[in-house]
Amino acid sequence: MAHTVPDIKHKNWSSQWLFIMAATGSAVGLGNIWKFPYITGENGGGAFVLLYLACILLLGVPVMMTEIMLGRKGGLSPINSMRKLVGIAKASPLWTTIGWSGLLAGVMILSFYSVIAGWALAYIPMMATGTFTGIDAEGSSELFGALIADPWRLILWHSIFMLMTMLVIARGMEKGLERAISILLPGLFLLLLALVGYAYVATDQFGRALSFLFNPDFDALLYTQNADGQTIFNLEGILSALGLAFFSLSLGMGSIMVYGAYLPKESSIGEATISIVIADTLVAILAGLAIFPIVFSYGLDIGAGPGLVFVTLPIAFGNMGGGVIFGTLFFVLLVFAAWTSAFSLLEPVVAWLVESKRFSRPNAVWLSGGIIWLVGLLNVLSFNVLESFHPLSFLGEFKLAQQNIFGILDYMTSNVMLPLGGLAMALFAAWVLPSAIVSKEFNLPEGCVTYRTWSFLIHYVTPIGVGLIFLKSVGLI
Ligand code: PHE
């Protein structure tokens, strides 16, 4: 049965600038400051960073342009935008799976994102009251360990973060967003720069961090130790670089599509994409440069995993002049960065409920937010009570077999759903949607260099790149 596309017009962003702000707010978040450093650490540094940057440039940029373009042409939530585009292209309704899988990915991501953002929230009062003053590596690890071992504390902060997100989305997010982001982003930038400066001055490990991040050592990426301590060859790291690029840029699940749906027709999609990608990449690199000198100088474990940032930076704050103020400010900014990303994770579901199920905006928010909050409880427990519960252990050798619930949700979204979602968007735009429609939506003549470069990348480089990395690293080819 063909679904009807709801005849609703959403309000547009008031300017292209506001769109760039909102989309940058979506991109810059825990992915850059929390995830990038710890995944880079787990995958041995330079070679991983190089691949990450290559994925951003060759796959991230064209897919982001595509996702914005599809959203603007569709003008609705990802599910309904895809329905509309399928109608225009007279294509198979199967393409709307892009919207459905995006909706599911958004729910899954926000359910753990909110828990991690909750850690950052919990750190604000800890920082402000000087808990970390004079702390050493062991003390900092203990404080972090005590936080994640306590489900009730985690539930409290997770609930507060979800409520904060729901309140903003219920009111419609443009109010206040522009002002918040235009203060937050430069603030976060400056503070990260200051932290990089601190790491440079206060540790003698800056050179080592630079070489760790930028000196590619492919053995470090391609060989890992298995549970029995044997060195084995595996390509998982390459898939993680791809997944992190998509996660960090918010691609492949409809966040950027739904923001694109509110983009005024005359705005330049290419320009917007470049600004967003540059800001996002810079923040990740700065975070790495702030964190790794501290990791090395305190002899911390680079492969420490999700706790890395929460253990390292407090040591710096605890031992620098003005650390209480800077530390508090840092976690406030981190929460803001996570908050503006969370908006874009919730918006696709809410927009769909409003359009297709005739919910009022607040009701759509309470329903979807409530479900995400509940799933979030499983993530809370994944750091304590259910830490070693591996629901997919029957998968044997496969990576997912050794993951707890948080690990599974994280892996499935970043490494599977987002890259495949982005791939499907690319295939649809390249091979299904008539090029006359696409070039008109981009405001670019089909013969111009920008259009032709985009078209080449999206026809060949994205499908081959994403396809190969995906199939190869999960062992299917
Ligand atoms: N890009 C966000 C970050 O880096 C996370 C995110 C992923 C947001 C997917 C929306 C969609 O933290």
Side-chain angles (χ1 to χ4, degrees):
M1 182 190 79
H3 285 275
T4 46
V5 178
D7 187 21
I8 291 179
K9 258 211 80 39
H10 290 281
K11 241 180 85 203
N12 276 346
W13 302 110
S14 40
S15 63
Q16 166 164 340
W17 179 238
L18 184 52
F19 166 77
I20 292 182
M21 280 288 162
T24 308
S26 163
V28 174
L30 296 173
N32 312 60
I33 298 170
W34 161 71
K35 213 171 188 198
F36 172 79
Y38 95 77
I39 304 258
T40 300
E42 285 179 340
N43 287 288
F48 178 84
V49 174
L50 193 68
L51 267 175
Y52 170 75
L53 295 176
C55 288
I56 295 257
L57 203 66
L58 291 175
L59 308 172
V61 170
V63 171
M64 179 167 293
M65 288 179 65
T66 307
E67 189 168 339
I68 300 174
M69 181 273 294
L70 293 175
R72 186 163 72 179
K73 182 75 200 159
L76 294 163
S77 68
I79 292 174
N80 284 320
S81 280
M82 285 313 298
R83 276 192 187 134
K84 188 159 156 190
L85 296 172
V86 157
I88 293 175
K90 305 208 175 29
S92 152
L94 272 181
W95 289 104
T96 50
T97 317
I98 293 176
W100 289 106
S101 119
L103 188 138
L104 189 64
V107 170
M108 289 163 72
I109 295 176
L110 189 51
S111 78
F112 68 79
Y113 206 83
S114 165
V115 174
I116 313 294
W119 299 355
L121 269 176
Y123 266 57
I124 297 175
M126 281 159 79
M127 276 291 160
T129 52
T131 315
F132 291 96
T133 308
I135 201 122
D136 57 10
E138 205 178 319
S140 182
S141 305
E142 266 169 26
L143 283 170
F144 176 70
L147 170 69
I148 63 168
D150 184 344
W152 294 110
R153 267 172 87 194
L154 296 186
I155 290 175
L156 171 74
W157 296 111
H158 159 58
S159 310
I160 295 179
F161 185 81
M162 273 314 295
L163 266 179
M164 286 166 53
T165 305
M166 288 156 70
L167 280 176
V168 173
I169 299 294
R171 297 187 52 197
M173 81 188 108
E174 58 277 45
K175 295 189 203 87
L177 186 78
E178 184 164 21
R179 202 170 333 136
I181 299 185
S182 37
I183 301 169
L184 144 83
L185 270 180
L188 189 68
F189 232 80
L190 288 180
L191 206 64
L192 275 174
L193 270 180
L195 278 172
V196 174
Y198 172 83
Y200 181 75
V201 179
T203 73
D204 51 5
Q205 299 289 330
F206 200 76
R208 183 157 163 217
L210 271 181
S211 109
F212 177 73
L213 283 172
F214 298 112
N215 207 349
D217 170 359
F218 280 90
D219 287 352
L221 175 67
L222 297 175
Y223 292 92
T224 39
Q225 299 229 316
N226 68 7
D228 307 325
Q230 292 160 320
T231 304
I232 49 164
F233 178 75
N234 83 358
L235 294 165
E236 275 291 337
I238 301 182
L239 183 60
S240 300
L242 175 72
L244 184 61
F246 275 72
F247 183 88
S248 175
L249 291 173
S250 307
L251 293 178
M253 56 135 296
S255 281
I256 292 293
M257 200 189 282
V258 79
Y259 277 15
Y262 311 152
L263 181 63
K265 285 287 175 200
E266 57 288 351
S267 302
S268 157
I269 293 178
E271 264 174 42
T273 300
I274 299 297
S275 335
I276 300 163
V277 170
I278 291 180
D280 189 67
T281 310
L282 271 179
V283 172
I285 299 287
L286 286 178
L289 286 177
I291 286 160
F292 284 108
I294 302 173
V295 172
F296 292 133
S297 79
Y298 284 87
L300 292 158
D301 173 14
I302 48 168
L308 188 69
V309 175
F310 291 88
V311 174
T312 48
L313 290 184
I315 305 178
F317 293 126
N319 291 287
M320 67 165 80
V324 168
I325 295 175
F326 284 132
T328 311
L329 201 60
F330 175 80
F331 284 101
V332 169
L333 288 175
L334 185 57
V335 166
F336 262 102
W339 201 22
T340 52
S341 300
F343 299 162
S344 71
L345 286 161
L346 193 52
E347 181 66 18
V349 196
V350 170
W352 171 71
L353 285 172
V354 169
E355 289 163 6
S356 287
K357 302 287 162 209
R358 300 285 161 195
F359 274 65
S360 69
R361 213 173 154 81
N363 285 344
V365 168
W366 297 125
L367 177 70
S368 51
I371 293 174
I372 293 169
W373 179 81
L374 272 177
V375 184
L377 298 183
L378 292 174
N379 287 303
V380 162
L381 298 178
S382 296
F383 292 97
N384 35 68
V385 184
L386 297 180
E387 194 184 356
S388 355
F389 171 54
H390 301 155
L392 300 181
S393 55
F394 58 86
L395 289 176
E397 278 296 286
F398 202 51
K399 173 93 184 271
L400 280 174
Q402 304 126 39
Q403 304 283 335
N404 59 25
I405 297 173
F406 158 71
I408 294 171
L409 290 176
D410 180 28
Y411 186 98
M412 283 305 294
T413 48
S414 279
N415 293 6
V416 181
M417 297 168 87
L418 303 190
L420 293 188
L423 172 64
M425 290 176 197
L427 292 175
F428 183 78
W431 302 97
V432 180
L433 211 54
S435 62
I437 293 183
V438 175
S439 83
K440 182 151 175 275
E441 198 55 51
F442 275 134
N443 300 326
L444 292 171
E446 281 184 52
C448 83
V449 184
T450 319
Y451 184 83
R452 286 191 5 221
T453 313
W454 169 83
S455 173
F456 174 75
L457 291 170
I458 218 74
H459 273 89
Y460 306 105
V461 179
T462 313
I464 296 175
V466 176
L468 268 186
I469 296 180
F470 187 76
L471 294 177
K472 194 104 191 120
S473 48
V474 297
L476 289 177
I477 52 174

Coordinates of all heavy atoms in Angstrom, one line a residue, residues 26-32 109 113 246-251 253 255 280 341 344-345 418, ligand 1:
S26 N 25.0 19.8 16.0 CA 24.7 18.4 15.9 C 26.0 17.6 15.7 O 26.2 16.6 16.4 CB 23.7 18.1 14.7 OG 23.8 16.8 14.4
A27 N 26.8 18.1 14.9 CA 28.1 17.3 14.6 C 29.0 17.3 15.8 O 29.5 16.3 16.2 CB 28.7 17.9 13.3
V28 N 29.3 18.5 16.3 CA 30.2 18.6 17.4 C 29.6 18.1 18.7 O 28.6 18.7 19.1 CB 30.7 20.1 17.6 CG1 31.6 20.2 18.8 CG2 31.4 20.5 16.3
G29 N 30.2 17.1 19.3 CA 29.5 16.6 20.5 C 30.4 15.6 21.2 O 31.7 15.7 21.0
L30 N 29.8 14.7 21.9 CA 30.6 13.6 22.5 C 31.5 12.8 21.6 O 32.5 12.3 21.9 CB 29.7 12.7 23.3 CG 28.8 13.3 24.4 CD1 27.8 12.3 24.9 CD2 29.7 13.8 25.5
G31 N 31.0 12.8 20.3 CA 31.8 12.0 19.3 C 33.2 12.6 19.2 O 34.1 11.8 19.0
N32 N 33.3 13.9 19.2 CA 34.6 14.5 19.0 C 35.4 14.5 20.3 O 36.6 14.2 20.2 CB 34.4 16.0 18.6 CG 33.4 16.2 17.5 OD1 32.3 15.8 17.7 ND2 33.9 16.7 16.4
I109 N 21.1 5.5 19.5 CA 22.2 6.4 19.9 C 21.9 7.2 21.1 O 22.6 7.3 22.0 CB 22.7 7.3 18.7 CG1 23.2 6.4 17.5 CG2 23.7 8.2 19.1 CD1 23.6 7.2 16.3
Y113 N 23.9 7.9 24.4 CA 24.5 9.3 24.4 C 24.1 10.0 25.7 O 24.9 10.7 26.3 CB 23.9 10.0 23.2 CG 24.7 11.1 22.6 CD1 25.8 10.8 21.8 CD2 24.5 12.4 22.9 CE1 26.6 11.8 21.2 CE2 25.3 13.4 22.4 CZ 26.3 13.1 21.6 OH 27.1 14.1 21.1
F246 N 31.3 8.9 10.4 CA 29.8 9.1 10.2 C 29.2 9.5 11.5 O 28.4 10.4 11.5 CB 29.2 7.8 9.7 CG 29.2 7.7 8.2 CD1 30.4 7.4 7.5 CD2 28.1 7.9 7.4 CE1 30.5 7.3 6.2 CE2 28.1 7.8 6.0 CZ 29.3 7.5 5.4
F247 N 29.6 8.9 12.6 CA 29.0 9.3 13.9 C 29.3 10.8 14.2 O 28.4 11.5 14.6 CB 29.6 8.4 15.0 CG 29.0 8.6 16.3 CD1 27.8 8.0 16.7 CD2 29.6 9.5 17.2 CE1 27.3 8.2 18.0 CE2 29.0 9.7 18.5 CZ 27.9 9.1 18.9
S248 N 30.6 11.1 14.0 CA 31.0 12.4 14.4 C 30.4 13.5 13.5 O 30.0 14.6 14.0 CB 32.5 12.5 14.3 OG 32.9 13.8 14.5
L249 N 30.1 13.2 12.3 CA 29.4 14.2 11.4 C 27.9 14.1 11.4 O 27.2 14.7 10.7 CB 29.9 14.0 10.0 CG 31.4 14.4 9.7 CD1 31.8 14.1 8.3 CD2 31.6 15.9 9.9
S250 N 27.4 13.2 12.3 CA 25.9 13.0 12.4 C 25.3 12.4 11.1 O 24.2 12.8 10.8 CB 25.2 14.3 12.8 OG 25.7 14.8 13.9
L251 N 26.1 11.7 10.3 CA 25.6 11.3 9.0 C 24.9 9.9 9.0 O 25.2 9.1 9.9 CB 26.7 11.2 8.0 CG 27.4 12.5 7.7 CD1 28.5 12.3 6.7 CD2 26.3 13.5 7.1
M253 N 21.7 8.8 9.4 CA 20.5 8.4 10.1 C 19.4 9.4 10.1 O 18.3 9.2 10.6 CB 20.9 8.1 11.5 CG 21.6 9.2 12.3 SD 20.9 9.5 13.9 CE 19.3 10.0 13.7
S255 N 19.5 12.8 10.9 CA 19.7 14.1 11.7 C 19.9 15.2 10.8 O 19.3 16.3 10.9 CB 20.9 14.0 12.7 OG 20.5 13.2 13.8
D280 N 34.0 20.5 12.9 CA 33.9 19.2 13.5 C 35.2 18.5 13.6 O 35.6 18.0 14.7 CB 32.9 18.3 12.7 CG 32.6 17.0 13.5 OD1 32.0 17.0 14.5 OD2 33.0 15.9 13.0
S341 N 23.7 18.1 20.1 CA 23.7 16.9 19.3 C 22.5 16.1 19.6 O 21.8 15.6 18.7 CB 24.9 16.0 19.6 OG 26.1 16.7 19.3
S344 N 19.3 16.9 17.6 CA 19.2 16.3 16.3 C 19.0 14.8 16.3 O 18.6 14.3 15.2 CB 20.5 16.7 15.5 OG 21.6 15.9 15.9
L345 N 19.2 14.2 17.4 CA 18.9 12.8 17.5 C 17.4 12.5 17.7 O 16.8 11.6 17.3 CB 19.7 12.1 18.6 CG 21.2 11.9 18.3 CD1 22.0 11.7 19.5 CD2 21.4 10.7 17.3
L418 N 24.9 3.6 10.5 CA 25.2 4.9 9.9 C 25.9 4.7 8.6 O 25.5 5.4 7.6 CB 26.0 5.8 10.9 CG 25.4 6.1 12.2 CD1 26.2 7.2 13.0 CD2 23.9 6.5 12.1
Ligands
PHE1 N1 27.7 13.9 15.9 C1 27.4 13.7 17.2 C2 28.7 13.7 18.0 O1 29.7 13.8 17.5 C3 26.6 12.5 17.5 C4 25.5 12.2 16.6 C5 25.5 11.1 15.8 C6 24.4 13.2 16.4 C7 24.4 10.9 14.9 C8 23.4 12.9 15.5 C9 23.4 11.8 14.7 O2 28.6 13.7 19.2

